[in-house]
Amino acid sequence: MQYVPTQNIQAHSNQFIHPHFGYVILVFIYSWVMLAYLGLKVGLARKKYNVKYPNMYSDKDPLFNCIQRAHQSTVEIYPQWLIFQLIAGVVYPITASLLGIIWVTSRFTYAWGYYSGVPERRMNGSYGYIGLLGVIFLSIVVAFKTLISSG
C-alpha cells in the first residue's frame, strides 16, 4: 500500500474506490431489502399469532416460531457476512457482488422454506453457503495479498 497525503485524497476521492464497487453497494442495498422483508414478516406474524414483545417465541404457534427463526438466524450471520462482503468487494467487486447476490437470494429461499411450517425446508436455501464461503475465501486472499505486498 502506498501512503497518499490527505490533500490528494480530498482532490481525488475516488482513487481508492474500484470503479465497479458500486455493484457491491447495490448488493448491500439488496441485503437491506431482504432484512426489511424478513422483519416485516415477523411483525405481521406477531400480530396474527398475538405474540407480544418482549417474547421472542410462541408457546402456542410453531409457525410463528418458524417465521421468527428465519429472521433471527439471518440477523445472527448478517454482521459477519457484511464484513467479508466489504473486504472481498474492495478488491474483487464483481465477483464479490455475484457471491453477495447468491447469499442474499438464498436468505429469501431459506425463509420461504421456514415459512412453510416444515423447518427442514429451510435447507432449500443452503446454496447460500456458496456466496458466504466465497466472500470468506476472497477476504482471506485479500488479507494475504495485502500482507505480501507490504512486506
Side-chain angles (χ1 to χ4, degrees), residues 62-80:
L63 188 54
F64 172 81
N65 296 339
C66 288
I67 295 167
Q68 169 65 9
R69 278 304 306 151
H71 179 258
Q72 185 63 36
S73 63
T74 300
V75 169
E76 290 166 0
I77 192 67
Y78 189 69
Q80 294 90 341

Side-chain angles (χ1 to χ4, degrees), residues 43-60:
L44 294 171
R46 279 188 177 282
K47 199 172 205 177
K48 179 178 180 179
Y49 297 106
N50 198 28
V51 178
K52 304 288 185 201
Y53 287 106
N55 297 327
M56 288 286 287
Y57 298 101
S58 171
D59 293 331
K60 300 179 231 162

Side-chain angles (χ1 to χ4, degrees), residues 11-52:
H12 305 287
S13 62
N14 285 338
Q15 75 183 26
F16 290 112
I17 298 175
H18 193 286
H20 294 125
F21 192 76
Y23 294 121
V24 177
I25 296 168
L26 290 173
V27 172
F28 286 143
I29 293 167
Y30 179 41
S31 74
W32 175 82
V33 169
M34 176 268 299
L35 279 180
Y37 171 79
L38 297 182
L40 178 65
K41 293 294 278 186
V42 172
L44 294 171
R46 279 188 177 282
K47 199 172 205 177
K48 179 178 180 179
Y49 297 106
N50 198 28
V51 178
K52 304 288 185 201

Side-chain angles (χ1 to χ4, degrees), residues 71-143:
H71 179 258
Q72 185 63 36
S73 63
T74 300
V75 169
E76 290 166 0
I77 192 67
Y78 189 69
Q80 294 90 341
W81 173 80
L82 280 174
I83 295 295
F84 292 124
Q85 182 71 22
L86 179 62
I87 293 168
V90 165
V91 178
Y92 303 104
I94 294 175
T95 304
S97 295
L98 292 172
L99 291 167
I101 289 168
I102 291 169
W103 185 79
V104 174
T105 303
S106 79
R107 298 316 292 185
F108 282 111
T109 308
Y110 177 89
W112 294 330
Y114 242 143
Y115 297 166
S116 72
V118 181
E120 292 76 21
R121 290 189 186 158
R122 74 189 188 282
M123 299 311 292
N124 292 341
S126 62
Y127 65 89
Y129 283 108
I130 295 167
L132 178 61
L133 295 174
V135 293
I136 291 171
F137 174 76
L138 287 179
S139 295
I140 293 168
V141 170
V142 170

